Amino acid sequence: MVQPSINKVKQVSYLKEEINRLKNIIEQLEEQISQIQIQCKHIFLEVEGFRKCTKCHKVEVIYY
Ligand SMILES: [Zn+2]
């Protein structure tokens, strides 16, 4: 068994922190999108099986 080098360990914890940081950013961005979608007066474009708002890109599944 080869011991993982300190550098590798540091790199992994750095990368994990970076992932968590980016996840937080993604959450904030998704929150912003959902706020926009809540306020949007949707204009839907129907595609097969679902429809998508041309303004905010909200997607809704169409049930037949
Ligand atoms: Zn919309």
Coordinates of all heavy atoms in Angstrom, one line a residue:
M1 N 0.8 -1.2 0.0 CA 0.0 0.0 0.0 C 0.9 1.3 0.0 O 1.8 1.4 0.8 CB -0.9 0.0 1.3 CG -2.1 -0.9 1.1 SD -3.5 -0.2 0.2 CE -4.1 1.0 1.4
V2 N 0.6 2.1 -0.9 CA 1.3 3.4 -1.0 C 0.5 4.4 -0.2 O -0.7 4.6 -0.4 CB 1.5 3.8 -2.4 CG1 2.2 5.1 -2.5 CG2 2.2 2.8 -3.2
Q3 N 1.2 5.1 0.7 CA 0.5 6.1 1.5 C 0.2 7.3 0.5 O 1.0 7.7 -0.3 CB 1.5 6.7 2.6 CG 1.7 5.7 3.7 CD 0.5 5.8 4.7 OE1 0.0 6.9 5.0 NE2 0.1 4.7 5.2
P4 N -1.0 7.8 0.6 CA -1.3 9.0 -0.3 C -0.4 10.2 0.2 O -0.2 10.4 1.4 CB -2.7 9.3 0.0 CG -3.1 8.6 1.3 CD -2.1 7.5 1.4
S5 N 0.2 10.9 -0.7 CA 1.0 12.0 -0.3 C 0.2 13.1 0.3 O -1.0 13.2 0.0 CB 1.8 12.5 -1.5 OG 1.0 13.2 -2.4
I6 N 0.9 13.9 1.1 CA 0.2 15.0 1.8 C -0.4 15.9 0.7 O -1.5 16.4 0.8 CB 1.2 15.8 2.6 CG1 1.6 15.0 3.8 CG2 0.6 17.1 3.1 CD1 0.5 14.7 4.9
N7 N 0.3 16.1 -0.4 CA -0.1 17.0 -1.4 C -1.5 16.5 -2.0 O -2.4 17.3 -2.2 CB 0.9 17.1 -2.5 CG 1.9 18.1 -2.3 OD1 1.7 19.0 -1.4 ND2 3.0 18.1 -3.0
K8 N -1.5 15.2 -2.2 CA -2.8 14.6 -2.7 C -3.9 14.8 -1.8 O -5.0 15.2 -2.2 CB -2.6 13.1 -3.0 CG -1.9 12.8 -4.3 CD -2.8 12.3 -5.3 CE -2.3 12.4 -6.7 NZ -1.0 11.7 -7.0
V9 N -3.7 14.6 -0.5 CA -4.7 14.8 0.5 C -5.2 16.2 0.5 O -6.4 16.5 0.5 CB -4.2 14.4 1.9 CG1 -5.2 14.8 3.0 CG2 -3.9 12.9 2.0
K10 N -4.2 17.2 0.5 CA -4.6 18.6 0.4 C -5.4 18.9 -0.8 O -6.3 19.6 -0.8 CB -3.3 19.4 0.4 CG -2.8 19.7 1.8 CD -1.7 20.7 1.7 CE -1.2 21.1 3.1 NZ 0.1 21.8 3.1
Q11 N -4.9 18.3 -1.9 CA -5.6 18.5 -3.2 C -7.1 18.1 -3.1 O -8.0 18.8 -3.5 CB -4.9 17.8 -4.3 CG -5.2 18.4 -5.7 CD -4.5 17.6 -6.8 OE1 -3.8 16.6 -6.5 NE2 -4.8 18.0 -8.0
V12 N -7.3 16.9 -2.5 CA -8.6 16.4 -2.4 C -9.5 17.3 -1.5 O -10.6 17.6 -1.9 CB -8.6 14.9 -1.9 CG1 -10.0 14.5 -1.5 CG2 -8.0 14.0 -2.9
S13 N -8.9 17.7 -0.4 CA -9.8 18.5 0.4 C -10.0 19.9 -0.2 O -11.1 20.5 -0.1 CB -9.3 18.7 1.9 OG -7.9 18.9 1.8
Y14 N -9.0 20.4 -1.0 CA -9.3 21.6 -1.7 C -10.4 21.4 -2.7 O -11.3 22.2 -2.8 CB -8.0 22.1 -2.4 CG -8.2 23.1 -3.5 CD1 -8.5 24.4 -3.1 CD2 -8.2 22.8 -4.8 CE1 -8.7 25.4 -4.0 CE2 -8.5 23.7 -5.8 CZ -8.8 25.1 -5.4 OH -9.0 26.0 -6.3
L15 N -10.3 20.3 -3.5 CA -11.3 20.1 -4.5 C -12.7 19.9 -3.9 O -13.7 20.4 -4.4 CB -10.9 18.8 -5.3 CG -9.7 19.0 -6.2 CD1 -9.3 17.7 -6.8 CD2 -9.9 20.0 -7.3
K16 N -12.8 19.2 -2.7 CA -14.1 19.1 -2.1 C -14.6 20.4 -1.7 O -15.8 20.7 -1.8 CB -13.9 18.1 -0.9 CG -13.6 16.7 -1.3 CD -14.5 15.7 -0.7 CE -14.2 14.3 -1.3 NZ -15.1 13.3 -0.9
E17 N -13.8 21.2 -1.1 CA -14.2 22.6 -0.7 C -14.7 23.4 -2.0 O -15.7 24.1 -1.9 CB -13.1 23.4 -0.1 CG -12.9 23.1 1.4 CD -11.7 23.8 1.9 OE1 -11.2 24.8 1.4 OE2 -11.2 23.3 3.0
E18 N -14.0 23.2 -3.0 CA -14.3 23.9 -4.3 C -15.7 23.4 -4.8 O -16.5 24.2 -5.2 CB -13.2 23.6 -5.3 CG -13.2 24.5 -6.5 CD -13.0 26.0 -6.2 OE1 -12.6 26.3 -5.0 OE2 -13.1 26.8 -7.1
I19 N -15.9 22.1 -4.7 CA -17.2 21.5 -5.1 C -18.3 22.1 -4.3 O -19.4 22.5 -4.8 CB -17.2 20.0 -5.1 CG1 -16.3 19.4 -6.2 CG2 -18.6 19.4 -5.2 CD1 -16.0 17.9 -6.1
N20 N -18.1 22.1 -3.0 CA -19.1 22.7 -2.1 C -19.4 24.2 -2.4 O -20.6 24.6 -2.4 CB -18.7 22.6 -0.6 CG -19.0 21.1 -0.1 OD1 -19.9 20.5 -0.6 ND2 -18.2 20.7 0.8
R21 N -18.3 24.9 -2.7 CA -18.5 26.3 -3.0 C -19.3 26.5 -4.3 O -20.2 27.3 -4.3 CB -17.1 26.9 -3.2 CG -17.0 28.4 -3.1 CD -15.6 28.9 -3.3 NE -15.0 28.6 -4.6 CZ -15.2 29.3 -5.7 NH1 -16.0 30.4 -5.6 NH2 -14.7 29.0 -6.8
L22 N -19.0 25.7 -5.3 CA -19.7 25.8 -6.5 C -21.2 25.3 -6.4 O -22.1 25.9 -7.0 CB -19.0 24.9 -7.6 CG -17.6 25.5 -8.0 CD1 -16.9 24.5 -8.9 CD2 -17.8 26.8 -8.7
K23 N -21.4 24.3 -5.5 CA -22.8 23.8 -5.2 C -23.6 25.0 -4.7 O -24.8 25.1 -5.0 CB -22.8 22.6 -4.3 CG -22.6 21.3 -5.0 CD -22.7 20.2 -4.0 CE -22.4 18.8 -4.6 NZ -22.2 17.8 -3.6
N24 N -23.0 25.7 -3.7 CA -23.7 26.9 -3.2 C -24.0 27.9 -4.2 O -25.1 28.4 -4.2 CB -22.8 27.5 -2.1 CG -22.9 26.7 -0.8 OD1 -23.8 26.0 -0.5 ND2 -21.8 26.8 0.0
I25 N -23.1 28.1 -5.1 CA -23.3 29.1 -6.2 C -24.5 28.6 -7.1 O -25.4 29.3 -7.4 CB -22.1 29.3 -7.0 CG1 -21.0 30.1 -6.2 CG2 -22.4 30.1 -8.3 CD1 -19.6 30.2 -6.8
I26 N -24.4 27.3 -7.4 CA -25.5 26.7 -8.3 C -26.9 26.9 -7.6 O -27.8 27.3 -8.2 CB -25.2 25.2 -8.6 CG1 -24.0 25.1 -9.5 CG2 -26.4 24.5 -9.2 CD1 -23.5 23.7 -9.7
E27 N -26.9 26.6 -6.3 CA -28.1 26.8 -5.5 C -28.7 28.2 -5.6 O -29.9 28.4 -5.8 CB -27.9 26.4 -4.0 CG -28.3 25.0 -3.7 CD -28.0 24.6 -2.3 OE1 -28.1 25.5 -1.4 OE2 -27.6 23.5 -2.0
Q28 N -27.8 29.1 -5.5 CA -28.2 30.5 -5.6 C -28.7 30.9 -7.0 O -29.7 31.6 -7.1 CB -27.0 31.5 -5.2 CG -26.7 31.5 -3.8 CD -25.4 32.2 -3.5 OE1 -25.0 33.1 -4.2 NE2 -24.7 31.8 -2.4
L29 N -28.0 30.3 -8.0 CA -28.4 30.6 -9.4 C -29.8 30.0 -9.6 O -30.6 30.6 -10.3 CB -27.3 30.1 -10.3 CG -26.0 30.8 -10.3 CD1 -25.0 30.2 -11.2 CD2 -26.1 32.3 -10.5
E30 N -30.0 28.7 -9.1 CA -31.2 28.1 -9.4 C -32.4 28.8 -8.6 O -33.5 28.9 -9.1 CB -31.2 26.6 -8.9 CG -30.4 25.8 -9.9 CD -30.3 24.3 -9.5 OE1 -30.4 24.0 -8.3 OE2 -30.0 23.5 -10.4
E31 N -32.0 29.3 -7.5 CA -33.0 30.1 -6.7 C -33.4 31.4 -7.6 O -34.6 31.7 -7.7 CB -32.4 30.5 -5.4 CG -33.3 31.4 -4.5 CD -34.6 30.8 -4.2 OE1 -34.7 29.6 -4.1 OE2 -35.6 31.6 -4.0
Q32 N -32.4 32.0 -8.2 CA -32.7 33.2 -9.0 C -33.6 32.8 -10.2 O -34.5 33.5 -10.5 CB -31.4 33.8 -9.6 CG -30.6 34.6 -8.5 CD -29.3 35.2 -9.1 OE1 -29.3 35.6 -10.2 NE2 -28.3 35.2 -8.3
I33 N -33.3 31.7 -10.8 CA -34.1 31.2 -11.9 C -35.5 31.0 -11.5 O -36.5 31.4 -12.1 CB -33.5 29.9 -12.6 CG1 -32.2 30.2 -13.3 CG2 -34.5 29.3 -13.5 CD1 -31.5 29.0 -13.9
S34 N -35.7 30.3 -10.3 CA -37.1 30.0 -9.9 C -37.8 31.3 -9.5 O -39.0 31.4 -9.8 CB -37.1 29.0 -8.7 OG -36.5 29.5 -7.6
Q35 N -37.1 32.3 -9.0 CA -37.7 33.6 -8.8 C -38.2 34.2 -10.1 O -39.3 34.7 -10.2 CB -36.8 34.5 -8.1 CG -36.6 34.2 -6.6 CD -37.8 34.2 -5.8 OE1 -38.7 35.1 -5.9 NE2 -38.0 33.1 -5.0
I36 N -37.4 34.1 -11.1 CA -37.8 34.7 -12.4 C -39.0 33.9 -13.0 O -39.9 34.5 -13.5 CB -36.6 34.6 -13.4 CG1 -35.5 35.6 -13.0 CG2 -37.0 34.9 -14.8 CD1 -34.2 35.4 -13.7
Q37 N -38.9 32.5 -12.8 CA -40.0 31.7 -13.3 C -41.3 31.9 -12.6 O -42.4 31.9 -13.2 CB -39.6 30.2 -13.3 CG -38.5 29.9 -14.3 CD -38.0 28.5 -14.3 OE1 -38.1 27.8 -13.2 NE2 -37.5 28.0 -15.4
I38 N -41.2 32.2 -11.3 CA -42.5 32.5 -10.6 C -43.1 33.8 -11.1 O -44.3 33.9 -11.2 CB -42.1 32.6 -9.1 CG1 -41.9 31.2 -8.5 CG2 -43.3 33.3 -8.3 CD1 -41.2 31.3 -7.1
Q39 N -42.3 34.8 -11.4 CA -42.8 36.1 -11.8 C -43.1 36.2 -13.3 O -43.8 37.1 -13.8 CB -41.8 37.2 -11.5 CG -41.7 37.4 -10.0 CD -40.4 38.2 -9.6 OE1 -39.8 38.8 -10.4 NE2 -40.0 38.0 -8.4
C40 N -42.7 35.2 -14.1 CA -42.8 35.2 -15.5 C -44.2 35.0 -16.0 O -45.0 34.2 -15.4 CB -41.9 34.1 -16.1 SG -42.0 34.0 -17.9
K41 N -44.7 35.8 -17.0 CA -45.9 35.6 -17.6 C -45.6 34.7 -18.8 O -45.2 35.1 -19.9 CB -46.6 36.9 -18.1 CG -47.0 37.7 -17.0 CD -47.8 39.0 -17.5 CE -48.5 39.7 -16.3 NZ -47.5 40.3 -15.3
H42 N -45.7 33.4 -18.6 CA -45.1 32.4 -19.5 C -45.7 32.5 -20.9 O -46.9 32.7 -21.1 CB -45.4 31.0 -19.0 CG -44.8 30.7 -17.7 ND1 -43.5 30.9 -17.4 CD2 -45.4 30.3 -16.5 CE1 -43.3 30.6 -16.1 NE2 -44.4 30.2 -15.5
I43 N -44.9 32.3 -21.9 CA -45.3 32.1 -23.3 C -44.8 30.7 -23.7 O -43.6 30.5 -23.9 CB -44.8 33.2 -24.2 CG1 -45.3 34.5 -23.8 CG2 -45.2 32.8 -25.7 CD1 -44.7 35.7 -24.6
F44 N -45.7 29.7 -23.7 CA -45.2 28.3 -23.8 C -45.2 28.0 -25.3 O -46.0 28.4 -26.1 CB -46.2 27.4 -23.1 CG -45.9 27.3 -21.6 CD1 -46.9 27.8 -20.7 CD2 -44.7 26.8 -21.1 CE1 -46.6 27.8 -19.4 CE2 -44.5 26.8 -19.8 CZ -45.5 27.2 -18.9
L45 N -44.1 27.2 -25.6 CA -44.0 26.6 -26.9 C -44.1 25.1 -26.7 O -43.3 24.6 -26.0 CB -42.6 27.0 -27.5 CG -42.3 26.6 -28.9 CD1 -43.0 27.6 -29.9 CD2 -40.8 26.6 -29.2
E46 N -45.0 24.5 -27.4 CA -45.2 23.1 -27.2 C -44.3 22.3 -28.1 O -44.1 22.5 -29.2 CB -46.7 22.7 -27.5 CG -47.6 23.3 -26.5 CD -49.0 22.5 -26.4 OE1 -49.1 21.4 -27.0 OE2 -49.9 23.1 -25.8
V47 N -43.6 21.4 -27.4 CA -42.8 20.4 -28.0 C -43.4 19.0 -27.6 O -44.2 19.0 -26.8 CB -41.3 20.5 -27.5 CG1 -40.4 19.8 -28.5 CG2 -40.9 22.0 -27.4
E48 N -42.9 18.0 -28.2 CA -43.5 16.6 -28.0 C -43.4 16.3 -26.5 O -42.3 16.2 -25.9 CB -42.7 15.6 -28.7 CG -43.3 15.3 -30.1 CD -42.5 14.2 -30.8 OE1 -42.4 13.1 -30.3 OE2 -42.1 14.5 -32.0
G49 N -44.6 16.2 -25.9 CA -44.7 15.7 -24.5 C -44.5 16.7 -23.4 O -44.7 16.5 -22.3
F50 N -43.9 17.9 -23.9 CA -43.8 18.9 -22.9 C -43.9 20.3 -23.5 O -43.9 20.4 -24.7 CB -42.5 18.8 -22.1 CG -41.2 18.9 -22.9 CD1 -40.6 20.1 -23.0 CD2 -40.7 17.8 -23.6 CE1 -39.5 20.3 -23.8 CE2 -39.5 17.9 -24.3 CZ -38.9 19.2 -24.4
R51 N -44.0 21.3 -22.7 CA -44.0 22.6 -23.3 C -43.0 23.5 -22.5 O -42.7 23.3 -21.3 CB -45.4 23.2 -23.2 CG -46.0 23.3 -21.8 CD -47.4 23.8 -21.9 NE -47.8 24.1 -20.5 CZ -48.9 24.8 -20.2 NH1 -49.6 25.3 -21.2 NH2 -49.3 25.1 -19.0
K52 N -42.4 24.4 -23.2 CA -41.3 25.2 -22.6 C -41.6 26.7 -22.8 O -42.0 27.1 -23.9 CB -40.0 24.8 -23.3 CG -38.8 25.5 -22.8 CD -37.5 24.9 -23.5 CE -36.3 25.7 -23.1 NZ -35.1 25.2 -23.8
C53 N -41.4 27.4 -21.8 CA -41.6 28.9 -21.9 C -40.5 29.5 -22.6 O -39.3 29.2 -22.4 CB -41.7 29.5 -20.5 SG -41.8 31.3 -20.5
T54 N -40.8 30.3 -23.6 CA -39.8 30.9 -24.5 C -39.0 32.0 -23.7 O -37.9 32.4 -24.1 CB -40.4 31.5 -25.8 OG1 -41.4 32.4 -25.4 CG2 -40.9 30.4 -26.6
K55 N -39.6 32.5 -22.6 CA -39.0 33.6 -21.9 C -38.1 33.1 -20.8 O -36.9 33.5 -20.7 CB -40.1 34.5 -21.4 CG -40.8 35.3 -22.5 CD -42.2 35.8 -22.0 CE -42.0 36.9 -21.1 NZ -43.4 37.3 -20.5
C56 N -38.6 32.2 -19.9 CA -37.9 31.8 -18.7 C -37.4 30.4 -18.8 O -36.7 29.9 -17.9 CB -38.7 32.0 -17.5 SG -40.0 30.8 -17.3
H57 N -37.8 29.7 -19.9 CA -37.3 28.3 -20.1 C -37.9 27.3 -19.1 O -37.3 26.2 -19.0 CB -35.8 28.2 -20.2 CG -35.2 28.9 -21.4 ND1 -33.9 28.7 -21.7 CD2 -35.7 29.7 -22.3 CE1 -33.6 29.4 -22.8 NE2 -34.7 30.0 -23.1
K58 N -39.0 27.7 -18.5 CA -39.6 26.7 -17.6 C -40.2 25.6 -18.4 O -40.8 25.9 -19.5 CB -40.7 27.4 -16.8 CG -41.4 26.5 -15.8 CD -42.5 27.3 -15.1 CE -43.4 26.4 -14.2 NZ -42.6 25.8 -13.0
V59 N -40.0 24.4 -18.0 CA -40.5 23.2 -18.7 C -41.7 22.6 -17.9 O -41.5 22.4 -16.7 CB -39.4 22.2 -19.0 CG1 -40.0 20.9 -19.6 CG2 -38.4 22.8 -19.9
E60 N -42.8 22.3 -18.6 CA -43.8 21.6 -18.0 C -44.2 20.4 -18.9 O -44.2 20.5 -20.1 CB -45.1 22.5 -17.9 CG -44.9 23.5 -16.8 CD -46.2 24.4 -16.7 OE1 -47.2 24.2 -17.5 OE2 -46.2 25.2 -15.7
V61 N -44.4 19.2 -18.2 CA -44.8 18.0 -18.9 C -46.2 18.1 -19.2 O -47.0 18.6 -18.4 CB -44.5 16.8 -18.1 CG1 -44.9 15.5 -18.8 CG2 -43.0 16.7 -17.7
I62 N -46.6 17.8 -20.4 CA -48.0 17.8 -20.8 C -48.6 16.4 -20.7 O -48.0 15.4 -21.2 CB -48.2 18.2 -22.3 CG1 -47.6 19.6 -22.5 CG2 -49.7 18.2 -22.7 CD1 -47.5 20.0 -23.9
Y63 N -49.6 16.3 -19.9 CA -50.3 15.0 -19.7 C -51.5 14.9 -20.6 O -52.3 15.8 -20.6 CB -50.7 14.8 -18.2 CG -49.5 14.8 -17.3 CD1 -49.2 15.9 -16.6 CD2 -48.8 13.6 -17.1 CE1 -48.2 15.9 -15.7 CE2 -47.7 13.6 -16.2 CZ -47.4 14.8 -15.5 OH -46.3 14.8 -14.7
Y64 N -51.6 13.8 -21.4 CA -52.7 13.7 -22.2 C -53.8 12.8 -21.6 O -53.4 11.9 -20.8 CB -52.3 13.1 -23.6 CG -51.5 14.1 -24.4 CD1 -50.1 14.0 -24.4 CD2 -52.0 15.2 -25.0 CE1 -49.3 14.8 -25.1 CE2 -51.2 16.1 -25.7 CZ -49.9 15.9 -25.8 OH -49.1 16.8 -26.5
Ligands
ZN1 ZN -41.9 31.8 -18.4

